[in-house]
Structure formats: C-alpha cells, structure tokens
Amino acid sequence: MGSILDILSNIFLMIGIFFVFLGMLGLLRLPDIFNRLHATTKIGTIGAFGVMIAIVLKVGFTPMGIKAITVGLFLLLTAPVAAHMIARAAHRHGVGLCKESIIDEYGKTYK
Amino acid sequence: MNSLLLNISLVFMVLSLIPCLYRIIKGPTIPDRVVAIDAMTTVIIVMLGVYSLLQNSVFFMDVALVLAIISFVGTVTISKYLDEGAVF
C-alpha cells in the first residue's frame, strides 16, 4: 500500500493536476490568443503525460498501463503540432497581437 | 487514501472545464474558440484516464485514445480552413 511506486504515482498525479489547473487559469486570464496558446499547450504535454505516467506507475504493465502510455505518447507528439498550426492560421487570418507586445518578426517576414 | 486523491483530482478537473466554456462562449475570435475546444478535449482525456483508474476498467482508456485522435484531426482541419479557405 505505502510502497515507493504509490508515492511516486501520487506525486506525478499532483504535478499533472497542477499543470491542468494552471493552463486553465492561463486560458481564462491571459490577454492574447498566442499567450493563451502558450498556456494551454502545457496541458497537452506536461499535464496529460504526467497523469498517464501516474497511471502506469500505479497499475504496472497491464493492458490499462499500455493504453495509458499510448495515449500519453500520442498527446505528446500531436499537441505541439496542433498548437503550431492553429497559431500560424491565427496569425495569417489576421488576429492581432495584444497592445503590450513589442515585436512581430513573423509578420515582418510574411508581408 | 488513493480513492480520495483521485476523487479530488476529478473535482478539480471538472472545475477546470468552466474557463473553457467561458472562452468558447465569449471568445473574441474564431481561433480563440478552437484553442478552448482543444484544451477542453485534453482535459476530458485526462479525466477519462483518472476515471478508468478509479473504476478498474480498461474501456475508458479506448475512449480517451479515440477522443485524442478526433481532437487532433479536428484542430488541424479547422486551422487549414482558416489559413487557406479550403480544407484539401
């Protein structure tokens, strides 16, 4: 019950939940779409992968553990790609930056 | 003890869905809504993983994998449509 794998699993679960909560706070509070995207990509990488690592550490290499590590690796591969594509589409679609931003290098090279 | 921690994490994730709904309803532009939908799908995937561990059932993990694939394809499709005006 109180073995070291359970303690490690609880620590990874808490890290994942903390990053999910932090990403949601960023989605609610930040002023710009690119800042919000910067916050919410952490949910897909650290949050989901941390929770899946916690599940694997708790159940071992049973079918549930194998499927959990599959879901975690898939999210770790595809979440940055999706975030990059939506940021590029937003910048080309004409969504402006917030007022406090000071440089826009992609806009200068694109136009 | 473990069940208590999993239940508390489920409550936190359900509370984390509220900013997504706010951003989907009120978001100023279309990419804001797409980002919020993507983040909400990821939170639902994490919630399905924790619920699968809580129920000792494998089938919720299959649902999480299918939901991850559908979310990725949907986000890429909408961003290509916003970028070029056509999907293919």
Side-chain angles (χ1 to χ4, degrees):
Chain A
M1 184 60 192
S3 69
I4 189 132
L5 281 181
D6 277 340
I7 299 172
L8 270 178
S9 167
N10 289 340
I11 288 173
F12 272 107
L13 187 70
M14 282 185 196
I15 289 174
I17 299 304
F18 176 70
F19 271 93
V20 168
F21 194 69
L22 213 60
M24 282 303 139
L25 201 63
L27 182 68
L28 186 63
R29 290 291 296 167
L30 286 177
D32 194 2
I33 176 172
F34 303 105
N35 293 326
R36 284 176 208 140
L37 200 54
H38 181 208
T40 55
T41 315
K42 269 72 182 173
I43 300 175
T45 56
I46 303 177
F49 197 63
V51 173
M52 294 308 164
I53 285 290
I55 292 172
V56 170
L57 285 179
K58 189 156 292 199
V59 300
F61 284 103
T62 55
M64 190 194 295
I66 301 292
K67 280 172 185 174
I69 201 69
T70 307
V71 173
L73 281 179
F74 186 80
L75 277 178
L76 197 67
L77 282 178
T78 58
V81 178
H84 175 253
M85 284 202 71
I86 193 64
R88 184 166 161 267
H91 199 287
R92 289 194 185 181
H93 190 246
V95 178
L97 279 71
C98 65
K99 292 187 181 65
E100 291 85 7
S101 57
I102 57 173
I103 190 167
D104 185 13
E105 287 188 344
Y106 184 65
K108 279 193 298 186
T109 55
Y110 182 60
K111 284 166 187 170
Chain B
M1 168 58 195
N2 285 330
S3 173
L4 180 65
L5 183 61
L6 292 179
N7 281 322
I8 288 174
S9 64
L10 277 180
V11 169
F12 265 104
M13 277 185 274
V14 170
L15 284 182
S16 303
L17 286 180
I18 297 173
C20 282
L21 291 175
Y22 171 76
R23 191 53 73 186
I24 287 172
I25 292 171
K26 195 189 164 292
T29 59
I30 297 172
D32 276 325
R33 296 189 169 99
V34 179
V35 168
I37 287 173
D38 194 18
M40 189 172 77
T41 316
T42 312
V43 175
I44 290 173
I45 288 167
V46 176
M47 201 187 300
L48 280 171
V50 176
Y51 192 68
S52 168
L53 183 58
L54 193 62
Q55 294 282 326
N56 275 324
S57 167
V58 190
F59 306 111
F60 294 103
M61 211 59 89
D62 297 336
V63 181
L65 187 56
V66 173
L67 197 59
I69 296 172
I70 288 176
S71 162
F72 174 63
V73 173
T75 306
V76 169
T77 306
I78 296 176
S79 60
K80 276 189 81 66
Y81 176 70
L82 283 180
D83 196 356
E84 301 166 0
V87 177
F88 293 111

